[in-house]
Amino acid sequence: MSTQTGAPRRITVNELRRLKERGEKIAMVTAYDATAARLCGEAGVDVVLVGDSLGMVVQGHDSTLPVTLDQMVYHSAMVRRGLARAGSRAHLVGDLPFGSYQASADEAVTAAMRMVAEGGVESVKLEGGSDYVEVIRRIVRAGVPVMGHIGLTPQSVHKLGGYVVQGKDAEKAQALLRDARALEAAGCYAVVLECIPTELARVISGQLAIPTIGIGAGPSCDGQVLVLNDILGLDDAFTPRFVRRFAELGGEVRGAVGRYLAEVKAGTFPAEEHVFHSSSVRLVPVADETEEREDLPGVMGAPV
Ligand code: KIV
């Protein structure tokens, strides 16, 4: 279906909920720029997340903490353009970065509005459980749908003591179930469950009417999310247990750049088929380059 502008109608939060009701899995993937977004859109994913994981996979930090709201807005706008170019219906959600929503609900609403107005996202995601109920209510009341995120919440890496599986004992599992229910009651349209035991994810997914999106939370979740760079196998250094590399593009990229390098060094690239010719180019010898000659143009003609 198309809108009045001819653009395809985007997947809404209500549609995501209907997918859960029908038992259809939701496929979500991160993207950080227009090219990646176009390819993900063309592949037909349901949801694209501009994750603050860009701090690690794009910016090279060892956590997501240095990512700013300006940077999230900047990358979201790129991804929005890439999805538009693909004619994609994917729902676009963007992370609220560390420091943009924790201090006050007012700041959180302002940050969410910037992500929508300037970044072009349809909803925002924020990390945290029951403590964020008021913040979530305020953002939703302002008209911006919110995706929750509990379990391993990377913005709290120092509090959690590392990137470790959460909710392994009964008490912590119970607390996560309470958090999930609180997020649903606060108005979240979906919740990411990151790195929790599959048994707990199954219980949470069964108890919530809103979709759960798992990453390291097993197959019972209503959908799955992975970081695009992990799907593509771009990083040889580390593959978390919950990731499946669906391609090995790291090696492909190295190989392609290596072949380019070899051909440049050998002088075999560019070849005849890569060069431009012009029969109208007239080269006029310049006798003395320091001497100004108004009567002689340097080079005439244009590339064809
Ligand atoms: O930032 C991110 O990419 C995420 C997903 C891994 C859920 O939050």
Side-chain angles (χ1 to χ4, degrees):
M1 189 191 287
S2 291
T3 62
Q4 283 176 331
T5 61
R9 198 175 57 77
R10 295 183 197 144
I11 294 178
T12 63
V13 295
N14 294 336
E15 230 169 313
L16 293 172
R17 190 168 176 146
R18 282 197 292 274
L19 288 179
K20 170 168 179 142
E21 285 161 7
R22 292 203 298 264
E24 283 180 42
K25 297 284 189 186
I26 297 165
M28 169 161 142
V29 64
T30 67
Y32 314 109
D33 62 39
T35 300
R38 178 175 55 76
L39 294 170
C40 293
E42 286 167 356
V45 293
D46 302 305
V47 185
V48 171
L49 167 68
V50 186
D52 62 355
S53 49
L54 68 84
M56 299 169 88
V57 297
V58 176
Q59 298 176 337
H61 296 296
D62 59 8
S63 79
T64 60
L65 302 178
V67 178
T68 67
L69 181 60
D70 281 345
Q71 290 164 352
M72 289 307 301
V73 167
Y74 175 72
H75 283 274
S76 299
M78 291 183 209
V79 170
R80 173 83 280 155
R81 290 191 286 271
L83 290 177
R85 193 159 299 172
S88 167
R89 293 193 60 225
H91 180 88
L92 181 59
V93 52
D95 266 336
L96 289 185
F98 183 62
S100 69
Y101 63 94
Q102 290 89 346
S104 76
D106 284 345
E107 283 181 34
V109 171
T110 305
M113 287 179 154
R114 277 199 64 198
M115 286 292 285
V116 173
E118 298 171 43
V121 304
E122 279 123 18
S123 64
V124 295
K125 177 166 82 58
L126 60 83
E127 298 179 8
S130 315
D131 292 345
Y132 287 91
V133 158
E134 188 46 31
V135 164
I136 292 164
R137 282 212 180 100
R138 286 280 310 281
I139 298 174
V140 173
R141 209 182 302 151
V144 180
V146 176
M147 178 182 278
H149 183 161
I150 57 173
L152 200 181
T153 45
Q155 291 177 15
S156 306
V157 58
H158 298 311
K159 184 172 150 195
L160 299 177
Y163 298 101
V164 285
V165 177
Q166 301 295 305
K168 280 174 94 170
D169 65 53
E171 201 182 316
K172 290 189 174 130
Q174 197 64 47
L176 281 173
L177 177 57
R178 270 197 304 275
D179 280 340
R181 283 183 164 152
L183 294 184
E184 177 169 66
C188 281
Y189 72 89
V191 57
V192 168
L193 306 178
E194 180 162 352
C195 285
I196 63 171
T198 186
E199 296 79 9
L200 174 58
R202 182 157 40 76
V203 172
I204 295 177
S205 303
Q207 294 209 4
L208 299 190
I210 59 173
T212 57
I213 311 286
I215 175 164
S220 311
C221 297
D222 304 301
Q224 298 292 326
V225 57
L226 281 180
V227 166
L228 181 64
N229 296 46
D230 291 340
I231 293 176
L232 300 180
L234 285 171
D235 185 356
D236 314 304
F238 173 63
T239 304
R241 178 184 163 86
F242 56 81
V243 166
R244 179 179 293 164
R245 299 159 71 103
F246 288 83
E248 290 300 335
L249 294 198
E252 287 286 319
V253 171
R254 254 194 314 274
V257 176
R259 288 191 293 279
Y260 161 75
L261 170 94
E263 293 224 17
V264 169
K265 299 279 185 194
T268 51
F269 177 84
E272 177 55 27
E273 65 267 32
H274 306 119
V275 303
F276 302 106
H277 294 284
S278 171
S279 54
S280 64
V281 169
R282 243 183 343 112
L283 289 177
V284 180
V286 177
D288 178 356
E289 286 184 358
T290 57
E291 195 181 307
E292 292 216 358
R293 295 282 306 273
E294 280 172 13
D295 56 321
L296 289 180
V299 176
M300 291 179 61
V304 256

